[in-house]
Amino acid sequence: MSTTQIPWQERPANSTDVMWRYDANPIIDRYAIPSSNSIFNSAVVPFEGGFAGVFRCDNKAVQMNIFAGFSKDGINWDINHDPIEFGAGNTEMIESDYKYDPRVCFIEDRYWITWCNGYHGPTIGIGYTFDFKEFFQCENAFLPFNRNGVLLPQKIDGKYAMLSRPSDNGHTPFGDIYISYSPDMKYWGEHRCVMKVAPFTESAWQCTKIGAGPVPILTDEGWLLFYHGVINTCNGFRYSVGAAILDKNSPDKVLYRSQPYLLGPAAPYELVGDVPNVLFPCATLHSLEEDKVALYYGAADTVTSVAFGKLSEILDFIKNNSL
């Protein structure tokens, strides 16, 4: 993690929660650029003394695409008004009917972007950039149908590793987290199941489907993975945020997994929007030295918000409240 000062706000005096919301949420309004209907489920990273990001901006025709943006403080963002245009990376086949829910991961010498890519249904698109000005698209990682492709920020046994959630072509009523490996960011295999949905009677908030959220954070305890969990209620899907600790060397092994959620829909901007009752985590900024994490999430499929927590407290919470 960069030494760039990450956004931070102390826990409110009246709060005992492990994670807490920024009191000026949402940080990005749905109409932050002229064409947008909504800006949510987006990813940010440290960049050149500040921050850069890739943002999901659905336009007023509700066409889904991803846009680059920049910030000095991680809170106030300047998002480009035109979507990212990709050149050919490791392939000439860069067809895309839509792009949404990006993640950004720095590995070795470049920033890798993964997203849900429309190619005869949703699959995992991959691209990269060195400067957030010029972008290159690579081969899709998997066959349709798949969502929530999230890279680990370092290789495992010399191979790139990606979490994903095999799905179907619609609003999937199921879903578990898998991991896959690649020698070259083009060909993917060695697919392994990481984590399944929880039994309804044990942890109902994550009993319908789960999906990896931000790029995992390597800690002394293992890989800290924030993820979303879904329950299907009489009012539709309800998305909350939980976390797990994966083995450092074998990230297909779950060491601990939170039984309670860390954050569930509660604030007005999470309860009301284009898709009510949704918190969808896509990025973190963290400082191991300062024991801080800022979690970026989409709220109600409409706006972008941020929450904060102490890494040590989050890890302890997962271990002490594990399924």
Side-chain angles (χ1 to χ4, degrees):
M1 172 69 194
S2 166
T3 56
T4 302
Q5 189 69 37
I6 70 169
W8 184 252
Q9 188 174 68
E10 294 294 339
R11 178 189 280 111
N14 61 349
S15 173
T16 59
D17 293 331
V18 181
M19 299 193 73
W20 55 95
R21 294 162 176 82
Y22 181 46
D23 66 9
N25 275 342
I27 61 168
I28 302 175
D29 182 69
R30 67 185 304 168
Y31 300 128
I33 63 174
S35 64
S36 63
N37 167 78
S38 47
I39 303 176
F40 60 108
N41 299 4
S42 304
V44 304
V45 290
F47 180 71
E48 292 187 348
F51 305 94
V54 178
F55 297 84
R56 174 177 176 172
C57 303
D58 293 2
N59 67 17
K60 292 180 175 66
V62 194
Q63 294 171 302
M64 304 166 190
N65 216 326
I66 55 178
F67 294 63
F70 302 90
S71 174
K72 293 180 180 179
D73 60 8
I75 296 293
N76 299 283
W77 288 88
D78 182 13
I79 301 173
N80 294 347
H81 291 186
D82 296 311
I84 293 170
E85 292 189 10
F86 285 89
N90 64 16
T91 178
E92 295 296 322
M93 201 296 292
I94 59 172
E95 294 180 32
S96 183
D97 293 328
Y98 49 77
K99 297 181 178 74
Y100 63 81
D101 297 355
R103 276 77 162 183
V104 179
C105 181
F106 184 80
I107 308 176
E108 295 177 334
D109 66 344
R110 69 194 68 186
Y111 299 88
W112 290 94
I113 306 157
T114 54
W115 65 87
C116 185
N117 192 50
Y119 179 72
H120 302 277
T123 185
I124 304 303
I126 305 176
Y128 64 86
T129 182
F130 296 97
D131 57 8
F132 289 92
K133 296 176 183 177
E134 192 173 20
F135 296 82
F136 301 90
Q137 188 170 339
C138 299
E139 280 285 340
N140 293 325
F142 310 119
L143 290 167
F145 307 112
N146 205 314
R147 292 178 172 85
N148 300 304
V150 180
L151 290 163
L152 271 66
Q154 66 184 47
K155 292 180 178 179
I156 304 294
D157 293 331
K159 300 170 187 174
Y160 298 101
M162 189 194 302
L163 300 162
S164 70
R165 206 266 311 281
S167 60
D168 63 17
N169 201 28
H171 291 286
T172 313
F174 64 89
D176 304 318
I177 298 174
Y178 285 74
I179 194 167
S180 305
Y181 297 92
S182 171
D184 56 5
M185 206 67 90
K186 185 170 185 177
Y187 299 103
W188 293 86
E190 299 180 84
H191 313 293
R192 303 287 185 269
C193 183
V194 177
M195 198 161 67
K196 289 184 167 295
V197 296
F200 176 85
T201 54
E202 294 182 24
S203 188
W205 69 269
Q206 53 182 326
C207 71
T208 298
K209 53 184 174 178
I210 54 176
V215 171
I217 300 169
L218 185 58
T219 74
D220 290 340
E221 302 284 350
W223 292 103
L224 172 59
L225 172 68
F226 292 99
Y227 65 95
H228 67 262
V230 182
I231 181 174
N232 192 12
T233 75
C234 59
N235 194 39
F237 289 148
R238 181 180 188 268
Y239 284 70
S240 302
V241 180
I245 302 173
L246 311 180
D247 185 87
K248 288 182 183 180
N249 300 313
S250 300
D252 60 314
K253 298 177 182 177
V254 179
L255 304 179
Y256 304 95
R257 172 182 177 182
S258 63
Q259 182 182 34
Y261 59 72
L262 288 164
L263 291 166
Y269 50 86
E270 300 159 356
L271 298 171
V272 178
D274 284 359
V275 184
N277 305 315
V278 174
L279 280 83
F280 195 93
C282 275
T284 59
L285 297 171
H286 70 276
S287 170
L288 295 176
E289 297 79 11
E290 296 180 311
D291 193 29
K292 294 177 179 179
V293 63
L295 176 74
Y296 290 77
Y297 63 94
D301 279 16
T302 306
V303 295
T304 301
S305 295
V306 65
F308 305 105
K310 295 279 190 178
L311 283 167
S312 60
E313 294 180 359
I314 293 167
L315 292 168
D316 285 346
F317 178 83
I318 300 166
K319 291 163 63 178
N320 293 330
N321 298 276
S322 183
L323 276 174

